[in-house]
Amino acid sequence: MSSVESHEEQLSQSDPSPSPNSCSSFELIDMDVGSLYEPVSPHWFYCKIIDSKETWIPFNSQDSQQLEEAYGSGKDCDRRVVPTDGGRYDVHLGERMRYAVYWDELASEVRRCTWFYKGDKDNKYVPYSESFSQVLEETYMLAVTLDEWKKKLESPNREVIILHNPKLMVHYQPVAGSDEWGSTPTEQGRPRTVKRGVENISVDVHCGEPLQIDHLVFVVHGIGPACDLRFRSIVQCVNDFRSVSLNLLQTHFKKAQENQQIGRVEFLPVNWHSPLHSTGVDVDLQRITLPSINRLRHFTNDTILDVFFYNSPTYCQTIVDTVASELNRLYVLFLQRNPDFKGGVSIAGHSLGSLILFDILTNQKDSLGDVDSKKDLPSIFMDQGDTPTLEEDLKKLQLSEFFSVFEKEKVDKEALALCTDKDLQEMGIPLGPRKKILNYLRTRKNSMGINRPTLQSPAGANMSNIPKESEFCSSTNGTGNGEHLDVGIGQVPVKYPRLIYKPEIFFAFGSPIGMFLTVRGLKRIDPNYKFPTCKGFFNIYHPFDPVAYRIEPMVVPGVEFEPMLIPHHKGRKRMHLELREGLTRMSMDLKNNLLGSLRMAWKSFTRAPYPALQASETAEETEAEPESSSEKPSDVSTEENLVAVKQEAPPIHVGMLNGGQRIDYVLQEKPIESFNEYLFALQSHLCYWESEDTVLLVLKEIYQTQGIFLDQPLQ
């Protein structure tokens, strides 16, 4: 037993708690400790696989209390299902398992924990099983009540636990390969610390989330199964986004929380990558993939090819059907689990996910009045695309006055498609309108056969199967007379499903929407265009994001202006940006002062020595002085005056796509990112999930729709 004593001595030296041989421990044992025993307070944990290792994570205090109440409720507790984590997971008490509600995830074990021991390779504590914890608690109770310590227990795995005193309890793990004639169990392995109660171990137990949900946001991911540099899934990244939002609500909406005006915003992920790659396309790709650089080719097949899939009619239909059906399914499921929810719904997309949402939103129909959003919700509405009448087509071509002529001649759309220039001339149609009509018919004929959903105008008027330039983009013929031709925006010919609700705001993170629209041949977005069912649109991006593109220059192509700078969440501009602006102003001042000094020195060197000439030179100087003084402000006005102009300039109107507000919002780069833009390019595209500035902008815009504002406006 000498080795045991040496182990105990080492443990007592490392642990500030008193050892069994110290005076303090004898004083503790000599006390009347029979009345000191108190039952341990259990806390509920769940097991999660992190980096191929089992990690036990505590439920927040609110969920743990609910689980404990359900556990002690009676005989039917094994049948109880307790919602946890804001309703995103269900715990089946009888099975001791935790299941995800809104997405597919492996079930995790749940345990009612009272006793813990320190792990082998880290400082994290691992809970004992519930049955063995009960044995430990009974032994501990006897030791305290009878004042008899150095109790020894052996677990079913031949692990030995020795309770020396309330402050010193150790755990010995058996060494593999020892037989019955070998050393005793207490001499095997290194001792590990044993703790009783969750309050004695170093673990963060959160208070929980507010029960009230004010708004629901669905988040759609981009290419590939991983959403950040740590190769985490969309579920994990949205969990970070949600955690950041809960912290910001406590710091920036504190008054509203204290007045119980707000609860929280729920963020739910939408996964479309897994259904797409479960269609068998991966097997087909593997047959034609070269064997060289296998990892790179696998990465390409699993991520980058998602962009090409979206431009394929077959797989694009799969993607939009998956995204729309998930958006509808999650909404119905959320309402079933939250019947008292009265808030709005918004959607957010990252990278390619934002383009998918953009195309779905542009192909919605503003006719949900007959649909009860909470009763008899269908799974998917398919938008077949209504064909406009001849009168509507003529109205778009600004030729409504000729409708009576066609009506008199019994000419409908089918008959008009068969008319020639001579036929129109015989009906009395002038040359200009004839050319417009024939060009319209020729363009429409080239686009026939493509069953494209409708893009409705803000007024709700029906359009043809192809989105019109009159509603969506400007004329490209340069006539300047407001004439708009019938052209498509290059969307893949698929049927876009309908959403069963109207999103309030669409947030795009690191979005390539502007690039895709340009590549599709769209020159300009009409300032009067807006989504048929969505009021707001925010294009949020990092300045170094290589995938992000602006939207506002397509709405106002003739005006150059900067995007809106997203304020820092601490209410100030980042220090390195302020320093850069200060240095720029200082360098301009030094430059102007130096130029002024050189100008004066040059004049003094070239000045003539004659008095008469000196007098005339002085007169010339006084005349030239106003010029120099007038030149000076023009030199200085590069940075400082631009800032003043930006502050005093009237707000820029960028159309109705975001209800008249600005669309493009740029984040402030971090100081370390400003040293090398290329080094942080990829990271910049994946930074939005943990960006406090991004989350705060989302919360600010959502709560503004409810008349709730930040405690202090950010500058």
Side-chain angles (χ1 to χ4, degrees):
M1 295 295 291
S2 60
S3 61
V4 179
E5 293 175 356
S6 63
H7 287 315
E8 294 171 1
E9 185 178 355
Q10 293 175 2
L11 187 62
S12 63
Q13 291 175 356
S14 61
D15 195 339
S17 58
S19 65
N21 297 323
S22 63
C23 297
S24 59
S25 64
F26 281 118
E27 292 172 0
L28 181 63
I29 294 174
D30 291 338
M31 292 171 58
D32 183 15
V33 294
S35 61
L36 294 179
Y37 173 77
E38 293 182 1
V40 64
S41 298
H43 195 92
W44 291 75
F45 282 65
Y46 63 92
C47 183
K48 200 168 186 179
I49 305 299
I50 300 177
D51 297 332
S52 302
K53 293 189 301 184
E54 289 187 354
T55 302
W56 286 90
I57 302 174
F59 285 96
N60 61 61
S61 56
Q62 181 179 340
D63 290 341
S64 181
Q65 182 179 356
Q66 289 184 353
L67 289 168
E68 185 64 21
E69 291 175 355
Y71 173 79
S73 60
K75 297 181 180 179
D76 295 335
C77 66
D78 288 344
R79 300 180 181 178
R80 292 285 298 274
V81 177
V82 181
T84 61
D85 299 273
R88 296 179 296 275
Y89 289 89
D90 281 342
V91 172
H92 294 243
L93 281 181
E95 302 176 20
R96 290 293 197 273
M97 298 297 287
R98 173 176 175 264
Y99 298 93
V101 174
Y102 296 104
W103 54 82
D104 293 331
E105 183 178 312
L106 291 176
S108 52
E109 182 184 352
V110 173
R111 189 174 292 179
R112 182 176 182 263
C113 305
T114 53
W115 286 76
F116 307 85
Y117 65 92
K118 187 172 289 187
D120 289 330
K121 299 180 181 179
D122 51 28
N123 293 325
K124 295 181 180 179
Y125 281 88
V126 180
Y128 288 103
S129 65
E130 293 187 31
S131 58
F132 191 67
S133 294
Q134 187 175 358
V135 175
L136 283 170
E137 182 65 19
E138 292 174 355
T139 306
Y140 178 85
M141 180 182 66
L142 289 174
V144 172
T145 305
L146 302 177
D147 194 12
E148 295 178 0
W149 291 97
K150 292 193 175 180
K151 296 284 186 178
K152 183 188 300 184
L153 295 91
E154 185 173 348
S155 70
N157 299 328
R158 297 197 65 205
E159 297 173 342
V160 175
I161 295 89
I162 301 177
L163 309 182
H164 292 290
N165 61 47
K167 297 294 184 179
L168 181 60
M169 295 173 282
V170 292
H171 172 119
Y172 292 95
Q173 192 171 17
V175 178
S178 62
D179 53 19
E180 296 180 358
W181 300 98
S183 56
T184 59
T186 56
E187 297 177 316
Q188 298 170 355
R190 297 183 58 186
R192 293 186 287 182
T193 307
V194 176
K195 294 292 184 181
R196 175 179 179 266
V198 70
E199 63 274 3
N200 293 319
I201 64 175
S202 55
V203 64
D204 294 330
V205 179
H206 301 285
C207 297
E209 304 176 14
L211 297 178
Q212 176 185 341
I213 300 177
D214 305 317
H215 203 86
L216 176 62
V217 181
F218 296 116
V219 185
V220 180
H221 65 85
I223 62 172
C227 296
D228 65 354
L229 292 177
R230 287 177 281 176
F231 298 99
R232 298 185 304 166
S233 65
I234 180 63
V235 174
Q236 295 170 307
C237 290
V238 172
N239 287 343
D240 276 353
F241 203 88
R242 188 187 306 108
S243 298
V244 173
S245 71
L246 292 173
N247 294 333
L248 290 175
L249 286 175
Q250 295 176 359
T251 56
H252 291 71
F253 293 87
K254 191 174 182 180
K255 294 180 181 178
Q257 279 196 338
E258 291 176 350
N259 297 331
Q260 297 183 349
Q261 292 178 297
I262 64 172
R264 65 182 175 91
V265 177
E266 179 64 280
F267 297 89
L268 295 180
V270 176
N271 181 17
W272 56 266
H273 181 269
S274 299
L276 170 66
H277 287 262
S278 63
T279 58
V281 64
D282 288 349
V283 178
D284 298 335
L285 285 173
Q286 191 61 35
R287 289 199 300 265
I288 61 175
T289 301
L290 301 181
S292 58
I293 52 173
N294 184 43
R295 292 185 179 180
L296 180 59
R297 296 187 191 278
H298 176 73
F299 174 79
T300 301
N301 291 348
D302 206 30
T303 57
I304 300 176
L305 286 187
D306 285 348
V307 179
F308 298 97
F309 285 141
Y310 190 64
N311 288 314
S312 163
T314 301
Y315 295 107
C316 180
Q317 187 69 65
T318 302
I319 293 174
V320 296
D321 286 347
T322 302
V323 172
S325 63
E326 277 294 284
L327 290 171
N328 291 333
R329 181 188 71 84
L330 292 174
Y331 180 68
V332 174
L333 182 58
F334 179 83
L335 290 182
Q336 291 174 354
R337 297 178 62 88
N338 301 272
D340 298 330
F341 175 72
K342 298 180 181 179
V345 184
S346 294
I347 55 178
H350 175 242
S351 189
L352 181 64
S354 64
L355 177 66
I356 298 171
L357 291 177
F358 183 88
D359 288 341
I360 291 176
L361 288 178
T362 56
N363 289 277
Q364 295 300 296
K365 295 178 66 177
D366 189 11
S367 58
L368 298 181
D370 56 338
V371 178
D372 189 346
S373 61
K374 297 188 179 183
K375 294 181 181 179
D376 301 327
L377 290 173
S379 57
I380 288 181
F381 286 97
M382 299 301 296
D383 187 357
Q384 301 294 337
D386 298 330
T387 303
T389 62
L390 176 60
E391 184 178 6
E392 292 171 346
D393 285 342
L394 292 175
K395 184 178 180 180
K396 291 178 177 59
L397 296 175
Q398 299 181 355
L399 301 175
S400 300
E401 63 271 19
F402 298 104
F403 177 70
S404 58
V405 177
F406 293 117
E407 191 176 23
K408 181 180 179 181
E409 297 290 339
K410 306 293 184 182
V411 176
D412 54 11
K413 291 190 67 171
E414 288 74 13
L416 182 60
L418 302 174
C419 291
T420 62
D421 181 75
K422 184 177 181 181
D423 296 332
L424 296 177
Q425 185 177 2
E426 291 177 354
M427 284 188 284
I429 308 298
L431 177 63
R434 290 205 309 271
K435 294 299 182 183
K436 287 184 180 182
I437 294 173
L438 291 174
N439 187 58
Y440 168 77
L441 295 175
R442 182 167 55 252
T443 306
R444 185 173 180 272
K445 183 178 180 181
N446 293 336
S447 303
M448 284 299 290
I450 301 178
N451 186 9
R452 207 170 286 176
T454 67
L455 177 65
Q456 276 202 323
S457 65
N462 291 330
M463 299 169 59
S464 68
N465 289 341
I466 305 169
K468 299 295 186 299
E469 195 170 8
S470 58
E471 270 81 11
F472 208 78
C473 54
S474 64
S475 174
T476 57
N477 58 7
T479 58
N481 60 356
E483 176 183 346
H484 297 286
L485 304 180
D486 181 9
V487 297
I489 62 171
Q491 286 179 315
V492 180
V494 298
K495 296 179 180 179
Y496 288 89
R498 283 183 59 187
L499 302 180
I500 57 178
Y501 52 87
K502 297 182 180 180
E504 292 193 9
I505 306 176
F506 168 36
F507 298 99
F509 306 137
S511 172
I513 293 175
M515 180 269 290
F516 271 85
L517 293 181
T518 303
V519 170
R520 290 171 177 176
L522 189 67
K523 299 289 185 181
R524 175 174 177 249
I525 298 176
D526 192 281
N528 295 322
Y529 174 75
K530 59 183 179 182
F531 294 124
T533 59
C534 185
K535 300 177 182 178
F537 176 34
F538 289 85
N539 182 38
I540 303 169
Y541 61 91
H542 191 282
F544 303 155
D545 190 341
V547 181
Y549 290 82
R550 292 192 63 182
I551 298 293
E552 291 175 342
M554 300 188 69
V555 183
V556 191
V559 181
E560 293 186 4
F561 52 94
E562 296 294 326
M564 292 290 290
L565 187 66
I566 299 177
H568 192 269
H569 65 281
K570 293 185 178 179
R572 55 170 174 79
K573 187 175 289 187
R574 290 189 183 271
M575 189 175 298
H576 71 287
L577 296 180
E578 295 180 350
L579 180 61
R580 182 190 302 170
E581 292 181 359
L583 290 175
T584 303
R585 288 194 295 267
M586 186 184 301
S587 63
M588 294 304 300
D589 293 341
L590 290 175
K591 175 184 175 182
N592 293 319
N593 292 335
L594 180 60
L595 290 176
S597 301
L598 291 176
R599 189 182 297 111
M600 295 298 296
W602 176 256
K603 289 182 179 180
S604 63
F605 287 143
T606 58
R607 186 172 296 166
Y610 301 104
L613 292 178
Q614 288 178 1
S616 63
E617 183 73 16
T618 305
E620 291 176 3
E621 274 186 41
T622 56
E623 293 177 0
E625 190 66 24
E627 293 183 5
S628 63
S629 63
S630 64
E631 291 173 0
K632 207 167 188 177
S634 63
D635 294 334
V636 180
S637 63
T638 54
E639 185 74 17
E640 190 169 358
N641 289 356
L642 277 177
V643 176
V645 169
K646 286 180 183 178
Q647 294 176 351
E648 298 175 1
I652 302 173
H653 184 73
V654 289
M656 298 304 297
L657 196 55
N658 191 25
Q661 301 182 60
R662 294 292 300 274
I663 301 172
D664 293 336
Y665 287 79
V666 61
L667 292 166
Q668 302 178 35
E669 72 272 15
K670 297 179 181 178
I672 191 174
E673 295 173 342
S674 61
F675 287 111
N676 192 322
E677 300 177 1
Y678 297 93
L679 184 63
F680 293 94
L682 180 59
Q683 178 178 333
S684 300
H685 183 59
L686 306 172
C687 72
Y688 306 98
W689 307 114
E690 298 177 354
S691 170
E692 293 94 340
D693 299 348
T694 302
V695 179
L696 186 58
L697 176 63
V698 172
L699 294 176
K700 181 174 73 73
E701 295 301 329
I702 286 176
Y703 277 110
Q704 274 187 0
T705 61
Q706 303 178 16
I708 298 173
F709 302 92
L710 295 169
D711 292 341
Q712 294 181 353
L714 300 178
Q715 299 295 332

